Amino acid sequence: MLSRKAVLRAERAVDPRHIRRTANAKRAAILLAPAIAVTSSLTLAVPANAATPAETQQGTTTSQAAQTFTVAHDVKVPVVTTDGMTTTTTVVSYPTLDLRFGVTTAQAQSALSAALSAGGDRATIVETALQYMGDPYVEGGASHEGIDCSGLTMVAYAAVGIPLVHYVPTQDAAATTIPESEALPGDLVVYDDEDHVGLYLGQGLVLQAPHPGEVVDIVPMYSAAHHFARLLPAGS
């Protein structure tokens, strides 16, 4: 005599619904097998040191960004002026200076002090451009709401009565190319491909509006091929 379990197994074996469920389960297993294999291979391919989404969202900057970008607060810049008889030192304070790619606060202070102490149109150009420090890059912009590279040079030179077209190649064409050894603060620094322009600060530093997602900052001299261009009259 068959046991109760044996009878149930026999009944399920001939039950059409059981047969269909078994067949469906087998088909599902066959279909899911490749996906499971791919998922497993992807999981194994993730580097051991990869950050999880939660880890990535915990901070506002990455370690790489921290190494290349700093913001110096309340920077004091001494400006020395003389009228031939009396020498006066005035300390100008900048709330923030955005420095990138290893430029230190001391380097920026030194270059700005020398550029502003020179006085004249060059100091005015640099001082005007500094007013846009930290403003966001916006293609075609020329205001504190957003400004691009040729917009920054355009507004800086407008402050000394030199109108420029809002376009790098046209600005470069209006200027005279000079050797690096003759470059002075306020001169243009132009990529050779005419894709970018900045203002030379002296001492190997450039003030620029870099590219979308960034702000007006101070950087070391460009590593990309570049040249210096002068718009100011001789002797300025």
Side-chain angles (χ1 to χ4, degrees), residues 34-100:
I36 293 172
V38 170
T39 303
S40 299
S41 65
L42 290 175
T43 302
L44 293 173
V46 175
N49 61 350
T52 64
E55 291 171 340
T56 303
Q57 294 171 2
Q58 285 177 358
T60 56
T61 60
T62 65
S63 59
Q64 181 180 6
Q67 292 171 4
T68 61
F69 180 76
T70 58
V71 179
H73 297 284
D74 194 26
V75 178
K76 302 292 193 293
V77 176
V79 178
V80 181
T81 57
T82 180
D83 60 4
M85 297 284 293
T86 306
T87 299
T88 304
T89 300
T90 304
V91 176
V92 180
S93 180
Y94 288 93
T96 60
L97 289 181
D98 293 276
L99 313 174
R100 190 173 287 272

Side-chain angles (χ1 to χ4, degrees), residues 119-145:
D121 287 347
R122 293 187 177 279
T124 300
I125 290 169
V126 171
E127 190 172 23
T128 301
L130 283 170
Q131 296 173 16
Y132 293 84
M133 177 67 63
D135 288 345
Y137 179 100
V138 173
E139 184 74 30
S143 71
H144 290 293
E145 294 181 357

Side-chain angles (χ1 to χ4, degrees), residues 144-165:
H144 290 293
E145 294 181 357
I147 194 165
D148 64 10
C149 65
S150 58
L152 182 64
T153 51
M154 180 180 73
V155 298
Y157 272 86
V160 295
I162 298 178
L164 294 177
V165 175

Side-chain angles (χ1 to χ4, degrees), residues 100-101 136-139 147 149 196 208-215 217:
R100 190 173 287 272
F101 304 123
Y137 179 100
V138 173
E139 184 74 30
I147 194 165
C149 65
H196 186 60
Q208 62 165 10
H211 53 74
E214 304 294 348
V215 299
D217 58 16

